[in-house]
Amino acid sequence: MKMKKLLCIVLACLLAAVPALAENPDTGSWSQINQAVSRKEGWQRVVSEEDERFQLGDITPLEGSEGLYIAAYGAYPSMDGSTVCVPMAMELARQWLNLEEGDMNGFVNFSTTPYAYDRLIQGKANPLSTIKSQGVMMDDTHPIDLILATYPNADERQEAADAGVELVYVPFCYDAFVFLVNDQNPVDSLTVRQIQEIYAGNVLSWSQVGGENRVVDAYQRPHGSGSQTAMEEMVMKGAPIMRANENFISDGMADAVQQVGNYSNGQSAIGYSYLYYVNALVESSGVKVLAVDGVTPDDENLQSGAYPFTVNYYAVYRAGDENTAAFVDWLVSDAGQEAVRQAGYVTLR
C-alpha cells in the first residue's frame, strides 16, 4: 500500500510539473524553444477517423488514486529526438491521437539528439511523457521506438555497432544547415571554402571575405549536438575545426542564434543552426541567414539540392520493428507528407 501511495504522489507531481519542466534548462528540447508552437491556420486532419492503425493502448486507472491513469503506447510509437523535430512529433500526435494543444508540451518531451540516440540504442524509455488534461502518465518502462532527428555522429553510430543494434534511417523532409551573421554585417554570402577557412582558423578578419576590418568571432556548438555533427561531417568534411574559446561555444540551439544576434556582437559574430529552427522555434531578431556560393536556402533549392548544405531529418528505428516501420511508411506517404507540410517542414516531394 505504501508503494501505491508513493506512485500516486510521483505521478501527480510529474503531471503538475510539466509546464515547469518545459522551462528548465536541464530538461531537454523545450528549454531551447521560446516561440509558440501550435497548429497552423487552415490545419486539417489527414488521418481519417476510421483509421485506427496507430493508437495508444489501454489506459488503466491507478489503483488507490482518483483521476490518475497510466497509458500503454499500444501501436503508437514512443518517441524522442532532436529539438528541431519537436513540431513534427506534435503534428503526429495531432493527426493520430487528436491530442489537445495544451497537452503537447507534456506528451512530446524530447531529450535532444545525443540522448535520444542513446535511448533508442540502449532500449531506454522516455520517463516524462504525459497527457496532462486526462491525468495520464505514459508507460515509463516502454523503450523508445522511434526518434525524429538529425543524422547521428560517428560516436553514436559506433555506439549502435558496439551494442549490436542495426538502425534504419528514413528521411522524411528537407531543411537547410545555415550560417548566421548579425544583421549589421554587410556580408550576405560566403563560399563553402570561405566558411571552411573561417572555422579552420585561417580567416581571422571579415575583410578577408568581403566585409569590414573586424575580427571574426566564430561560434560553435558542443561535440555530439546535431548541428555540430553537421558542421564536422558535412561542412568541414572531417578537416580539423579550430579549438573554440569556451565563450564561443553555444550550449543550446537558442544560445547559438541569440549570441549572433546580440547587439554587442555587431558585425563580428558568425554561427550556425538549422533554418527551420531559426524561422519557427526561437526568437531570431538581429540575425540574417547567409547564402552559400550565392545560393539561398529556399524550398526549391532544398528540394533540388542546389543549396550546398541541404539536410534531411530522419525517422530512425531499430531494424525488425515492423510496427514502427509501418508508421514511418505512412510518414513518407502522400498523406504523411501532407502532415509534414502542415508542420512547416519542406516535404520530400
Side-chain angles (χ1 to χ4, degrees):
M1 183 62 70
K2 289 182 179 179
M3 181 59 70
K4 290 178 181 177
K5 288 183 178 179
L6 179 60
L7 183 57
C8 290
I9 293 170
V10 171
L11 178 54
C13 289
L14 279 172
L15 290 167
V18 166
L21 288 171
E23 299 170 0
N24 188 322
D26 298 322
T27 58
S29 291
W30 283 111
S31 66
Q32 298 302 316
I33 297 172
N34 61 23
Q35 295 296 291
V37 184
S38 59
R39 65 185 187 184
K40 306 293 190 292
E41 185 176 352
W43 177 88
Q44 293 183 333
R45 192 175 184 192
V46 298
V47 175
S48 70
E49 293 184 4
E50 293 76 25
D51 191 343
E52 298 183 350
R53 282 176 294 167
F54 305 110
Q55 299 296 316
L56 297 179
D58 293 337
I59 299 178
T60 308
L62 187 62
E63 187 177 350
S65 69
E66 183 176 349
L68 296 179
Y69 304 86
I70 293 179
Y73 277 96
Y76 191 83
S78 173
M79 297 184 201
D80 201 342
S82 303
T83 299
V84 74
C85 293
V86 163
M88 189 67 247
M90 294 171 65
E91 178 64 16
L92 293 173
R94 286 188 201 102
Q95 291 291 343
W96 283 102
L97 306 180
N98 206 21
L99 286 191
E100 298 178 9
E101 291 299 308
D103 283 327
M104 290 300 186
N105 73 338
F107 188 75
V108 178
N109 263 303
F110 278 15
S111 64
T112 72
T113 307
Y115 300 106
Y117 272 107
D118 181 68
R119 283 176 173 178
L120 181 66
I121 293 166
Q122 300 301 330
K124 299 175 183 177
N126 183 343
L128 294 176
S129 186
T130 65
I131 306 176
K132 187 178 180 183
S133 69
Q134 300 176 31
V136 168
M137 178 179 177
M138 299 304 301
D139 178 6
D140 64 357
T141 66
H142 185 103
I144 293 295
D145 299 305
L146 173 67
I147 64 174
L148 307 176
T150 54
Y151 197 73
N153 65 20
D155 294 339
E156 290 151 356
R157 298 194 298 270
Q158 187 61 52
E159 180 187 359
D162 291 345
V165 174
E166 180 185 353
L167 298 180
V168 179
Y169 307 93
V170 179
F172 65 85
C173 72
Y174 290 112
D175 198 5
F177 185 70
V178 294
F179 288 85
L180 311 169
V181 296
N182 191 279
D183 62 7
Q184 299 302 306
N185 192 323
V187 173
D188 294 318
S189 180
L190 292 172
T191 67
V192 171
R193 183 63 179 169
Q194 286 172 333
I195 292 168
Q196 292 169 335
E197 290 293 293
I198 286 172
Y199 279 94
N202 298 326
V203 169
L204 302 177
S205 171
W206 282 104
S207 63
Q208 295 174 260
V209 291
E212 297 185 354
N213 187 23
R214 298 174 183 271
V215 173
V216 177
D217 293 335
Y219 284 86
Q220 299 185 35
R221 293 293 318 285
H223 179 72
S225 67
S227 53
Q228 191 66 12
T229 296
M231 185 66 194
E232 293 168 355
E233 298 188 6
M234 180 175 61
V235 179
M236 300 302 289
K237 300 186 184 300
I241 300 179
M242 65 178 174
R243 184 180 179 87
N245 182 293
E246 185 175 341
N247 294 333
F248 292 95
I249 297 179
S250 305
D251 290 335
M253 293 183 73
D255 294 337
V257 176
Q258 292 167 348
Q259 285 169 327
V260 171
N262 190 296
Y263 177 78
S264 63
N265 285 330
Q267 298 173 31
S268 299
I270 184 172
Y272 41 83
S273 187
Y274 293 99
L275 185 62
Y276 184 92
Y277 181 77
V278 175
N279 286 343
L281 300 181
V282 68
E283 197 285 316
S284 56
S285 62
V287 304
K288 67 177 176 180
V289 174
L290 294 178
V292 178
D293 286 339
V295 180
T296 58
D298 59 36
D299 291 7
E300 182 178 353
N301 287 334
L302 298 185
Q303 289 175 323
S304 71
Y307 180 73
F309 301 135
T310 298
V311 298
N312 292 112
Y313 299 140
Y314 295 85
V316 187
Y317 59 95
R318 296 166 70 111
D321 182 347
E322 294 183 2
N323 181 72
T324 303
F327 186 85
V328 173
D329 286 345
W330 176 85
L331 180 58
V332 296
S333 71
D334 288 346
Q337 287 292 289
E338 175 59 20
V340 169
R341 186 195 67 78
Q342 289 194 130
Y345 299 86
V346 179
T347 56
L348 298 176
R349 296 181 290 281

